[in-house]
Amino acid sequence: MKKSLVLSAAIALVSIASSANAEQLLFTQGSAKSGSSVAIDYVSDGQSVGVQLEILIPGKAQLDLSDFAKELPKGYVLEQNVVDGKLIATIVNDDRQPMPAGIISFGSIKSVGGTGSFVLERLESVDANGQILSVETVQ
């Protein structure tokens, strides 16, 4: 009985430790004065060198990106485009330097007018070797 209890505790600690090292994207919906908004934060374990987001924009809305990607880690840049009602944003470090471990605010996106809310359609994160990392999305 005592051995199984110790084994169960060890398994629980290993699963907690492995989830603590996981990359996460926090996609927090809100409302702005004239439409929808979403705050986007990335929880890094220090492996990712780039993140690509594909976000569906509320119908017939114009985007306000003035508070998005303003304070990225040193060496990171935002490349973005809107195609067919979808914002495609890439936050990347061309020198393949990983993001610092911890919470990194990507900022917020607001819609002006339109109906509905932002929808995260796709998310990819890669390490310095180009390997896709597993990222948990928290909405």
Side-chain angles (χ1 to χ4, degrees), residues 52-55 78-83 86-90:
Q52 181 170 319
L53 307 164
E54 294 183 13
I55 302 169
L78 166 70
E79 298 174 10
Q80 51 87 20
N81 200 2
V82 176
V83 178
K86 183 188 314 182
L87 171 67
I88 301 171
T90 303

Side-chain angles (χ1 to χ4, degrees), residues 10-116:
I11 290 170
L13 285 175
V14 167
S15 66
I16 290 170
S18 65
S19 69
N21 290 335
E23 308 265 326
Q24 290 184 326
L25 183 83
L26 310 177
F27 196 81
T28 309
Q29 298 279 349
S31 60
K33 292 179 185 176
S34 60
S36 299
S37 68
V38 63
I40 303 172
D41 299 297
Y42 192 81
V43 181
S44 174
D45 64 4
Q47 292 184 60
S48 179
V49 299
V51 176
Q52 181 170 319
L53 307 164
E54 294 183 13
I55 302 169
L56 296 176
I57 301 167
K60 298 183 181 179
Q62 293 181 341
L63 283 184
D64 176 358
L65 297 173
S66 62
D67 292 327
F68 187 59
K70 286 175 54 173
E71 297 182 26
L72 295 175
K74 184 179 179 181
Y76 278 80
V77 295
L78 166 70
E79 298 174 10
Q80 51 87 20
N81 200 2
V82 176
V83 178
D84 296 328
K86 183 188 314 182
L87 171 67
I88 301 171
T90 303
I91 297 171
V92 65
N93 182 300
D94 290 333
D95 293 328
R96 296 176 28 185
Q97 295 299 312
M99 287 184 195
I103 299 174
I104 299 157
S105 175
F106 286 174
S108 63
I109 302 170
K110 297 174 187 148
S111 67
V112 179
T115 58

